[in-house]
Amino acid sequence: QLSPFLNEQDCKLLDDIIAKLSNTVSAKSICLPNHFYILNKPGRKSHLLNYLCDRLLQEGRITEKEKADIFARETLVSTEIAPRVAMPHCIIQGPSFLVFAILPNPVIWDQNKVNLIVLGCFRQGDTEIKQLLKQLYKVVSDRKQVDRMIGCKSYEEFIEVTNDFIGEELC
């Protein structure tokens, strides 16, 4: 129950909180522990993408055509979305999901060094993933947060660090 003595500013704050809660996306179904990697071996961009895509092919999550689409997009434009973070992506037929790969040793991604790869596979028209990407962008836009994420040693630590930043579940 709300007090009838709430002023206009309190009502506005409550409205903002309710709106935020209704826009929060639970991503447990698209950000899974088996889609989190710490890749300690230094490598080139193409090798890392091949590795991640081949794992997804083995799981049946993407097709050869979708893998080719990821590489085709990379030739068109850089997928670096923030300092030290790249997000290669494609449209897929199945459900949307994300794959996270931490690179303790950075890789050259076009012109810049990248330590965090977020591979996005999106079903066309998926509105839930759009909300998740907004939340994710807040996280990767903060340099200190990216440093903390790159320093993680496990999936659980990665999720905890990410949740600490946004104050709600991202994954």
Side-chain angles (χ1 to χ4, degrees):
Q1 284 190 358
L2 295 175
S3 169
F5 300 109
L6 293 176
N7 63 31
E8 196 172 313
Q9 183 179 5
D10 291 333
C11 291
K12 167 99 174 80
L13 289 172
L14 280 173
D15 287 341
D16 291 346
I17 290 170
I18 291 168
K20 184 177 179 182
L21 288 174
S22 65
N23 288 329
T24 299
V25 174
S26 172
K28 289 186 183 200
S29 62
I30 51 179
C31 181
L32 304 170
N34 64 331
H35 288 161
F36 173 80
Y37 301 90
I38 298 175
L39 304 175
N40 288 307
K41 293 172 90 176
R44 292 190 353 223
K45 172 182 162 179
S46 60
H47 292 134
L48 293 167
L49 279 176
N50 259 319
Y51 175 79
L52 294 172
C53 288
D54 287 347
R55 298 291 300 252
L56 295 171
L57 277 167
Q58 289 172 355
E59 292 178 23
R61 298 295 307 259
I62 64 172
T63 65
E64 285 287 348
K65 183 195 176 311
E66 292 163 345
K67 176 182 176 179
D69 290 347
I70 290 169
F71 279 88
R73 183 173 299 275
E74 285 299 317
T75 62
L76 294 175
V77 65
S78 176
T79 55
E80 185 181 358
I81 60 169
R84 300 172 56 198
V85 181
M87 184 177 217
H89 55 282
C90 73
I91 301 297
I92 62 171
Q93 295 300 310
S96 301
F97 64 93
L98 298 173
V99 175
F100 293 90
I102 293 175
L103 311 170
N105 301 305
V107 64
I108 299 297
W109 202 274
D110 300 318
Q111 303 297 320
N112 301 302
K113 293 180 179 181
V114 164
N115 294 88
L116 177 62
I117 299 171
V118 182
L119 175 59
C121 297
F122 310 122
R123 186 182 74 242
Q124 188 142 5
D126 186 342
T127 56
E128 221 176 70
I129 197 74
K130 288 179 184 176
Q131 184 60 37
L132 175 70
L133 292 174
K134 285 180 188 176
Q135 292 172 324
L136 180 62
Y137 188 73
K138 283 185 213 174
V139 175
V140 300
S141 294
D142 185 288
R143 284 179 177 256
K144 289 179 184 175
Q145 185 64 11
V146 171
D147 288 343
R148 288 182 65 208
M149 292 166 77
I150 291 166
C152 292
K153 305 292 185 224
S154 69
Y155 173 78
E156 292 77 18
E157 183 182 0
F158 182 78
I159 297 305
E160 184 178 317
V161 164
T162 305
N163 288 345
D164 285 350
F165 180 78
I166 59 174
E168 58 199 35
E169 266 193 22
L170 173 65
C171 302

